[in-house]
Each structure stands twice: as C-alpha cells, then as structure tokens.
Amino acid sequence: MMKKLNTNLIILFLLVAEFSFAQVKDTSIINGIVHEATYNSQLENLAHELMDKIGPRLVGSPKMQQAHDWAIAKYNSWGIDAHNEKWGEWRGWERGITHIDMLAPWIKSLEGTQLAWSPSTKGKTITGDVIILADMPDSLSFQKWLPSVKGKFVMVSMNQPTGRPDYNWEEFGTKPSIQKMKDTRDKQTANWSKRISNTGYNNKTLVRALENAGAAGIVQNYWSKGFGVDKIFGAYTKKIPTINIALEDYGLLYRLAEDGTVPKISVRADSKETGIVPTFNTIAEIKGTEKPNEYVLLSAHFDSWDGGTGATDNGTGTITIMEAIRILKKVYPHPKRTILVGNWGSEEQGLNGSRAFVEDHPEIVKNIQAVFNQDNGTGRIVNIAGQGFLNSSEYIGRWLSAVPDSFRSQIETNFPGYPGSGGSDFASFVAAGAPAFSLSSNSWAYGTYTWHTNRDTYDKIVFDDVRNNAIVTAILAYMASEDPETSSRVKIVLPVNQQTGEQDKWPPQKSPTRRGGLD
Ligand SMILES: [Zn+2]
C-alpha cells in the first residue's frame, strides 16, 4: 500500500514538474496517433477516391460539388459531423471530350487541353489553318492585319527554343551552348512581349479582339519548364475555344506555320455551361468538451485547377487533414477545444472560400487557438514560421515538443517570422489577426512539375511524406487543443520598408469574390 502511494506521488510529482516548464502530454495519445497513421492508414484510399474516381475540382464544376458531397460522406462514416456551407456563386462549367488533330501537312493527334471555361465547339468539329500572331510595328498595322484571322486558329504564345529543362542542359551541355540557349530564349521572350504590346492589347483583350475578328480558335502554349509539362489555367475567350497545345506539338505547328507550310488542325471541344451554381466550403467538427467555443482549425483548400487531377495542389493537403481528423476522432475523441476542418472552395481564384469563412464567422475567428494549413505539395513538412506573431515560438515550441524526434528533426522553425499576405488560406486568418500557420513541405519539384500542371496526378504523391504530415498535423492539433494557455495574438512591430520609408502594415483582411467567373 505504502509502496503504491509512493509511486503515485512520484508520478504526480513528475507530472507537476513537467507541467511547470512544458505542456503535459499524454504519450498514449501521441503513440496512438503514430500507430493509427502507420498501421491503418487511409491515405491511399482517400487519394484514389478523390483524385482518380472524382477527378479535378474546378470551382463551379460538377466535380467540385461531387467532392464536397464525398467529403461529407467520408466524415460521417468516421462518426464526424460535417456540413457544406454555401459562401457564393460561380459560373458553372463542365469539361467534356476534347479532340485536337493535325490534318496537314500530315496526320497526327496532338497533345492538348481545352482551357477551363473555354467555350465549346457547339457539338461540331472545327477545321482551320493555323497562323502565328503577326509581328506588327504598331496597333494601327495590327488592326489592318486583324481581319486575316477569320476562320483561322491563331497561335498566341512564343515558340520555346528548347523543350529541355535547364537542369538537363546544365547536366549535359557545354558552357557556351548553355549560354547561347539562354541568350536566345531571353531575346525571344522580350521580342514576344513586344509583339503582344505592339497589338495595343494585353493577353486578355488580345484574344477577345481575335475572336471578334472571326478567329476559329486560340492556340497557346504555357510551358512549365520541365519535360512534357504545361500549366493549364482558364480561357479568356467568350465564343471560340482556347486550347493549350503541349510544347512538343506546339513547336511542330509553329515551325510549319513559320516556313509557310500552313498546318491545318481540327478541334472538337464538348464542354458544357451549367448556369450559375452555388459554391461551398466543407466544414467538419469534433466538439470540444471543456472549451467548445475555442477552435483548432485544420485547413486546406479543396478546389484545384483541372489540367491534371489536383493531386499535389491540393489533394495532398486535403487528405492530410482528413486523415488527421479521422485519427483524432479515434484516438482523442473528446478534445478540450473544438477541432474543425476547413476544406475550402475556390482558393485558386483568390482564397475565396477561406476569406468568406473569416468574414462569415467572426465568433469563431476571434476564438481560434491555431490554424494549421497545408498546401504546397506532397513533401514532408520542413518549415513552420511564426507569421509575425510575437510569442508564437512559445506555443508552437510547446506543441512541437510532443512530436516524435524522427518527424520533428525534419522541421525548421522561423520565429516570429513575418505575416503572410497570400499564397494559401492561412493568410485569410493571419489578416484577421488569428494565429494561423503554414505547414510548409519540401518541394519534390512542385513549381515545375505539378503546381497547376497537366501532370498533377496520383502517381506524384509521396505517401510516406503525406503520412508523416498527417501525424505531425494530428499531434499539433492535439497539443493546441489541450494547451492550458490561450495562444497569444500579439503581433511583432513591423519594420520600416526600405523603399517607401514607411512602416510596413499588417496585411488587411480582404473580402472574397462571392460571384465569380462572369466577366
Ligand atoms: Zn494550392
């Protein structure tokens, strides 16, 4: 009996001792999180269902809606409450079948993609010659040239001098040939922007002038500087299709058009306009038991561009936070504070879903203990910065101390950091003064190969790293939820800007676009 009491006293003493300089953590919960993430991972399944079975999640598309409904069903199947919250409306558009073929001087199916929101070919296959945007000395001569685009596909991008990425040149090229290639490219790039500005239009107004002059379609190439990779964004045309043709095929057409051969292509694009549709955020919740009106928010945008399937932007952030809350529900079902998940809509058009949430829920935003946002690719979390919150090192340091060393040793911290004004949804909360942080991952060639490209697909996901991130996110959420202290929102004094001589200002809260895609 006595012996038992002693043991209890020692444990009590140890707990109190630890409490005095660090936050108490229940190692059985930490171990439970790691165990569940490691031996019962749902990540592959979630990724397969979201990226392969649903697909890309363009704002206003039926697939975006399908994804929101899928997320609700997933959360409910784990016993987690969730709802879709409407915040706005968008032009509805659904991608259809696209065929792009070269018919002359020889036959070849071309690798290309209709840009998002591009008009369709109205159930027909359109055939026409391909011409290059003319190089005119000024807008007057361009206006004279403009009628000659009638019935033609007009190429509006420069032809890249090389389809090899720079790293490949640097590995195999001689110094003089690398320099020559770069000089050629710089000169061509400068000449091409001169060619555009000489028309008297910008990129957006130019394609509208071309369509008003009767062009059959707009052909562009937005190379992403890697092998076989292009960035796919939205179209500016209102009547005629805009297509991106992959660098290899674009170069072929361009060289032919340039030597006077006049290539002919046919395009069929069967997209559909679906009217004005509502846009949503999916919000999931595990109610807090002691402080239900204080919040730990796991944040990741749910939408994507639609050239690929949005696997790393932001499928990986999405499945990270879904897996994290699934694990928490199992291992830590009665959190002290309320744990929320925000699967935001329309981040890609300007953080719209999260900005709307911040605007619509001041009562939540003022009681946020922490926001953890994940949105820069599939890699391991390697950096957490304090976003300009003066005391962030104290509480993030406390929470990170519970992360097992094999994960924590990967992470560099930067305190107090500087308030982020954009880039992803944490910025919507930072702007409102709420302690919000980016769980930044290492790159895996994100910017070149997957970010907004036609190659952002399931096969690029590095599941071991995403598993690592689900564990780190779940532990941070657990620790933030349990912390006896409320996180400080004290901001750093911002430095004086070298250029303006004025003191930098905290980024202002911005309103979302609540009705989009209509101009
Ligand atoms: Zn993103």
Side-chain angles (χ1 to χ4, degrees), residues 5-124:
L5 186 65
N6 271 343
T7 319
N8 283 343
L9 275 174
I10 288 164
I11 287 169
L12 186 65
F13 173 76
L14 284 173
L15 281 174
V16 168
E18 190 180 17
F19 190 77
S20 63
F21 59 85
Q23 184 187 334
V24 179
K25 56 181 183 276
D26 181 341
T27 45
S28 74
I29 287 179
I30 306 290
N31 293 341
I33 289 170
V34 175
H35 190 274
E36 177 66 19
T38 308
Y39 297 105
N40 190 32
S41 173
Q42 298 301 306
L43 290 171
E44 281 87 348
N45 186 37
L46 290 171
H48 176 57
E49 289 185 16
L50 184 59
M51 265 59 81
D52 294 342
K53 292 173 86 166
I54 296 173
R57 299 164 301 282
L58 183 74
V59 59
S61 69
K63 291 194 169 299
M64 182 77 255
Q65 188 57 48
Q66 201 186 336
H68 282 298
D69 296 340
W70 168 82
I72 297 285
K74 269 295 140 190
Y75 290 125
N76 290 344
S77 77
W78 300 329
I80 298 170
D81 291 335
H83 65 279
N84 287 332
E85 192 171 290
K86 185 186 166 187
W87 56 264
E89 291 172 329
W90 217 269
R91 171 184 166 189
W93 185 85
E94 183 174 17
R95 184 173 284 286
I97 291 170
T98 311
H99 288 301
I100 307 164
D101 300 288
M102 181 170 78
L103 306 179
W106 47 285
I107 289 176
K108 181 183 194 296
S109 290
L110 303 177
E111 184 187 351
T113 310
Q114 184 189 10
L115 295 193
W117 301 299
S118 157
S120 73
T121 56
K122 303 184 181 70
K124 290 186 291 224

Side-chain angles (χ1 to χ4, degrees), residues 301 312-314 347-348 375 423-424 446 451-452:
H301 73 86
T312 71
D313 186 14
N314 188 19
E347 184 267 358
E348 298 293 3
D375 175 27
S424 189
Y446 179 61
W451 179 66
H452 303 162

Side-chain angles (χ1 to χ4, degrees), residues 392-409:
S392 52
S393 73
E394 287 168 27
Y395 47 89
I396 292 184
R398 272 201 299 278
W399 305 338
L400 269 176
S401 73
V403 175
D405 198 47
S406 56
F407 305 98
R408 194 183 52 207
S409 62

